Amino acid sequence: MKVVILEDANEVARYGADIFERQLAHKADSVFGLATGSTPVALYRELIERHQRESLSFAGVTTFNLDEYLGLPPEHPQSYRYFMQQHLFDHIDIRPESTFVPSGDADHPIEACDEYEARIRNAGGIDVQLLGIGRNGHIGFNEPTSCLTSRTRIKTLTRETIDDNARFFGPDEEQPHLSITMGIGTIMESRLVVLLATGASKAQAVKAMVEGPVSAWCPASILQMHPSTVLIVDEAAAGGLSNPEFFKHIERENQALLTRLGMV
Ligand code: F6R
């Protein structure tokens, strides 16, 4: 796992956006796996700016979101489909029919999970999967104890995750306790995983992910087994790591090597 430690959340967003921009330069019809939550918002803002400023185009892109609340229709303001329209899709040139979010109001949600898997497969698999991380180490809505080879399915949210996400819901709004989420096995099949974490509240989860045992207690720790994962963190989220200087040293060495090879 490559660990990149940067000054602050803005730098994290820019570094992440650079990865997406490079991927688009290499493959205009890339398949992206996308996340919701607070963390990726700055990265999406950066991509929108690059679209407006530099005509970075998403016209050939297909996207698959990680998760959705079970029971919320797409037009519900707290649904993840609504979030994606607001924070990204409505501001770039992506074709609406190429954006997929698990269907929270499917008549047959179990079948819908299998169909989602088939759609990802038919699209050729995910080239770059963007992830955030929960304070309890979840990725997508794969909460602690999730099967490490799981596929897209219905998952029960933990009390901690419900409390963390309560900030998005009004006092009288009912907050779902169930979700549809891509599985850990689904995520592990992505060619490149880019996980962003910012803020001190993520420091323990980041430490468990990087240094802890690979364990269903910290679902993100399975990424130690992924051949191509980039973890991008700010100083605060890196605060629990035993040896952050080592990762900074590696990054400097990498940059020096790329410069020497004329690759930057
Ligand atoms: C969202 C998702 C979640 C979040 C995680 C962190 O689609 O899959 O795993 O990435 O809960 O959320 P924030 O960024 O709000 O701290």
Side-chain angles (χ1 to χ4, degrees):
M1 183 188 305
K2 177 174 168 174
V3 181
V4 181
I5 303 172
L6 300 169
E7 191 71 24
D8 56 32
N10 288 331
E11 279 192 27
V12 168
R14 278 197 293 275
Y15 195 104
D18 287 347
I19 294 176
F20 281 87
E21 184 166 351
R22 273 199 302 277
Q23 174 67 27
L24 283 173
H26 157 75
K27 187 180 172 203
D29 59 348
S30 290
V31 178
F32 292 150
L34 299 178
T36 58
S38 310
T39 314
V41 170
L43 183 150
Y44 293 151
R45 212 178 298 125
E46 186 66 30
L47 291 178
I48 293 166
E49 273 177 35
R50 292 180 193 197
H51 168 66
Q52 291 166 349
R53 232 180 23 229
E54 304 155 20
S55 309
L56 180 66
S57 177
F58 297 82
V61 167
T62 302
T63 63
F64 290 93
N65 262 79
L66 281 166
D67 41 20
E68 179 59 283
Y69 286 115
L70 189 65
L72 296 193
E75 61 280 3
H76 191 289
Q78 306 313 333
S79 76
Y80 284 171
R81 160 58 75 180
Y82 192 92
F83 176 103
M84 289 309 298
Q85 295 300 138
Q86 295 278 306
H87 290 283
L88 185 65
F89 298 152
D90 286 349
H91 311 284
I92 57 174
D93 60 345
I94 196 160
R95 293 181 316 144
E97 62 274 25
S98 301
T99 67
F100 298 96
V101 178
S103 170
D105 62 349
D107 289 336
H108 302 287
I110 294 174
E111 285 86 338
C113 293
D114 294 341
E115 283 162 21
Y116 203 67
E117 286 280 332
R119 278 224 166 93
I120 295 173
R121 257 195 322 275
N122 293 340
I126 292 172
D127 293 307
V128 183
Q129 174 65 57
L130 181 64
L131 297 176
I133 185 169
R135 285 190 305 127
N136 60 11
H138 73 214
I139 47 176
F141 273 140
N142 295 286
E143 298 281 34
T145 72
S146 287
C147 166
L148 295 177
T149 56
S150 49
R151 313 303 307 190
T152 302
R153 68 211 184 291
I154 296 171
K155 276 298 288 181
T156 306
L157 304 181
T158 58
R159 172 46 53 195
E160 192 178 17
T161 298
I162 293 168
D163 291 346
D164 280 350
N165 289 350
R167 67 190 191 278
F168 297 113
F169 289 80
D172 302 325
E173 260 179 323
E174 201 181 321
Q175 191 182 346
H177 292 187
L178 295 175
S179 67
I180 296 183
T181 181
M182 262 188 215
I184 297 176
T186 323
I187 292 169
M188 287 294 282
E189 282 172 9
S190 309
R191 291 175 193 99
L192 173 66
V193 172
V194 177
L195 192 149
L196 311 184
T198 54
S201 66
K202 299 294 173 67
Q204 281 316 304
V206 165
K207 182 182 174 62
M209 168 188 172
V210 176
E211 299 177 3
V214 173
S215 156
W217 281 108
C218 175
S221 64
I222 190 69
L223 294 166
Q224 292 175 29
M225 310 284 287
H226 189 277
S228 196
T229 286
V230 187
L231 166 66
I232 314 170
V233 288
D234 64 2
E235 291 281 358
L241 293 175
S242 306
N243 193 356
E245 285 314 314
F246 180 56
F247 294 118
K248 291 181 185 173
H249 171 67
I250 294 172
E251 183 62 7
R252 282 193 297 271
E253 291 282 312
N254 281 343
Q255 288 305 326
L257 181 63
L258 291 174
T259 307
R260 203 160 63 231
L261 297 176
M263 292 174 70
V264 283

